[in-house]
Amino acid sequence: MDRFFPASSPEYKAHAHIADYVFWDADIGAKDIGLCAAYASLARFVKGEDLYLPPRDANELQSILRNYSDHIVNSLCSQVVSRVTLRSTNGYAVAREQSARSLRRALTTGDNLSRLVAMHSPPAVDPVAATATLDVVPEHIFESSTFESPRQIRSN
């Protein structure tokens, strides 16, 4: 994670602060939630949590990170002490926007985007090796007479 958000980054600091004080600090605002959501969504992707279909390109990666980020923003907005302040200042939209900016900045730095797309992609498959290792069930197993057909059910 240091490659994407080093310990000196505001995202890391917000994540560390919110992880410890989400239920007690009334000064946690939408910007802090957005920064924390950016860090947590990238950490969730790097760990591979809930990643059923790995991204094939940059658009899919951004979509996955946006989904993760929205889930985290929803969760944090419902947990923080300052819920009323967040509602009155349109905090949800501000947090989502801040998270998107932070993620965009992290993805456009260096080769982070290509590294993240390649991180969970399946290894390149050699077609010759793949066909040689398939375990195919021989047909003669299904042709044998050892399998009895189920008895018929009579109806009255």
Side-chain angles (χ1 to χ4, degrees):
M1 282 301 297
D2 285 343
R3 175 180 186 79
F4 310 110
F5 294 121
S8 61
S9 70
E11 291 85 0
Y12 176 84
K13 290 176 183 176
H15 177 72
H17 180 75
I18 288 178
D20 291 337
Y21 299 106
V22 69
F23 298 115
W24 298 283
D25 188 359
D27 294 331
I28 294 175
K31 182 179 177 186
D32 298 323
I33 290 173
L35 292 170
C36 177
Y39 182 89
S41 62
L42 201 54
R44 185 175 169 187
F45 178 79
V46 168
K47 290 177 187 174
E49 293 178 7
D50 303 321
L51 186 64
Y52 302 108
L53 296 172
R56 293 174 290 188
D57 57 14
N59 289 335
E60 288 182 5
L61 172 66
Q62 289 173 343
S63 176
I64 290 169
L65 290 175
R66 186 174 37 251
N67 270 343
Y68 285 174
S69 177
D70 288 350
H71 294 164
I72 294 164
V73 166
N74 280 334
S75 177
L76 288 176
C77 283
S78 69
Q79 292 175 10
V80 295
V81 177
S82 57
R83 282 191 296 256
V84 174
T85 316
L86 286 174
R87 282 191 208 126
S88 64
T89 60
N90 201 10
Y92 177 74
V94 172
R96 286 184 64 205
E97 193 175 304
Q98 178 63 45
S99 177
R101 267 195 309 264
S102 294
L103 285 171
R104 196 175 313 113
R105 189 177 64 245
L107 293 177
T108 57
T109 304
D111 63 341
N112 288 348
L113 183 63
S114 59
R115 279 180 175 266
L116 285 170
V117 169
M119 184 175 285
H120 296 292
S121 63
V125 178
D126 182 17
V128 175
T131 56
T133 60
L134 289 177
D135 294 330
V136 179
V137 178
E139 288 185 27
H140 67 84
I141 289 179
F142 296 110
E143 294 173 357
S144 69
S145 61
T146 59
F147 295 113
E148 294 182 15
S149 61
R151 67 180 181 87
Q152 249 180 329
I153 299 174
R154 295 184 192 170
S155 61
N156 294 343

